[in-house]
Amino acid sequence: AQSVTQLDSHVSVSEGTPVLLRCNYSSSYSPSLFWYVQHPNKGLQLLLKYTSAATLVKGINGFEAEFKKSETSFHLTKPSAHMSDAAEYFCVVSVPSGGYQKVTFGTGTKLQVIP
Amino acid sequence: ETGVTQTPRHLVMGMTNKKSLKCEQHLGHNAMYWYKQSAKKPLELMFVYSLEERVENNSVPSRFSPECPNSSHLFLHLHTLQPEDSALYLCASSQGVRGRGNQPQHFGDGTRLSIL
């Protein structure tokens, strides 16, 4: 069994300040972890993925995430928020299941960026 | 630009109508998924097709009927829907590799469905 907990449903930051979106997971299998972003009326876009090659993962648009096995965490960060970062962010855990992926989504964190 | 295309983008239908949602992926993937996204609820996985075979059906009511005629196309046939079925329906695809869970899903922009 696997689960994902996004600790904050809403995060508000000022433009130019750091962003931290928190995610904790549990899995009985070595998981792959992903962060997706969803802008209004759009589908989910992959930001970055962790697949055991390196614990610090860099993604698109300046985002990165660090996998910490001891803390079962995969928090998403960005040094400086931009207005275009305002969106909803989903943390996802994935394990193999036959010929496809068994995926569990977090409940999402809405990021507000204040000018 | 997304490699997964969903049509229509918006659909309004009465409870007695029959309609279909279409999803097409241009990525050469072999697994396709339907999700339901309702306001203030987590993303719900509805169906999974792997190599055109349905491998997962998460207790979805029979008024939703999926069809996967080939690895590039996925349909969701709708009939006698209820108001609570109003939601954003998302299609995704991935390259399933047996024994590996590290392939990301690629999503379409969804169909916004409203039931009158």
Side-chain angles (χ1 to χ4, degrees):
Chain A
Q2 59 201 47
S3 67
V4 179
T5 302
Q6 290 185 243
L7 296 151
D8 306 294
S9 59
H10 289 83
V11 169
S12 184
V13 300
S14 297
E15 189 177 17
T17 64
V19 175
L20 170 63
L21 305 183
R22 298 182 294 165
C23 172
N24 286 94
Y25 72 92
S26 69
S27 176
S28 53
Y29 193 92
S30 264
S32 295
L33 296 159
F34 306 86
W35 275 99
Y36 286 84
V37 60
Q38 185 179 31
H39 291 276
N41 298 312
K42 288 287 192 179
L44 280 70
Q45 180 187 15
L46 180 69
L47 272 180
L48 50 80
K49 69 176 184 179
Y50 165 76
T51 57
S52 78
T55 56
L56 183 61
V57 182
K58 293 188 184 299
I60 61 171
N61 301 336
F63 284 94
E64 61 182 40
E66 186 171 9
F67 173 72
K68 292 187 176 180
K69 187 174 181 179
S70 60
E71 299 176 11
T72 60
S73 70
F74 190 57
H75 301 333
L76 182 70
T77 60
K78 183 173 180 177
S80 175
H82 192 272
M83 293 301 296
S84 61
D85 296 327
E88 190 160 18
Y89 293 78
F90 294 90
C91 182
V92 177
V93 62
S94 172
V95 296
S97 178
Y100 68 102
Q101 289 79 43
K102 197 165 187 70
V103 173
T104 302
F105 283 79
T107 50
T109 299
K110 286 191 176 171
L111 176 64
Q112 180 186 23
V113 182
I114 303 167
Chain B
E1 182 181 339
T2 179
V4 180
T5 304
Q6 289 187 245
T7 53
R9 291 296 314 278
H10 301 273
L11 179 62
V12 179
M13 56 188 285
M15 289 193 286
T16 58
N17 292 157
K18 289 185 181 180
K19 296 285 184 184
S20 296
L21 310 185
K22 179 182 176 182
C23 176
E24 183 174 2
Q25 59 98 359
H26 315 277
L27 301 167
H29 290 165
N30 57 13
M32 296 187 78
Y33 311 74
W34 277 118
Y35 288 91
K36 176 183 178 183
Q37 187 175 36
S38 306
K40 299 181 181 169
K41 292 176 77 174
L43 207 63
E44 301 172 55
L45 177 65
M46 300 175 73
F47 301 104
V48 181
Y49 277 83
S50 175
L51 299 172
E52 300 152 45
E53 179 183 342
R54 191 190 310 179
V55 294
E56 198 158 326
N57 175 351
N58 283 347
S59 303
V60 180
S62 60
R63 57 186 184 268
F64 294 92
S65 174
E67 178 190 3
C68 186
N70 55 61
S71 60
S72 299
H73 293 87
L74 185 65
F75 295 89
L76 188 62
H77 304 300
L78 316 170
H79 66 97
T80 326
L81 294 193
Q82 304 299 309
E84 62 266 26
D85 298 323
S86 297
L88 181 68
Y89 289 83
L90 291 166
C91 173
S93 70
S94 70
Q95 185 58 29
V97 179
R98 193 166 290 275
R100 294 172 64 183
N102 60 358
Q103 300 304 307
Q105 295 184 357
H106 295 253
F107 285 81
D109 285 337
T111 295
R112 175 71 61 187
L113 177 64
S114 299
I115 306 301
L116 300 178

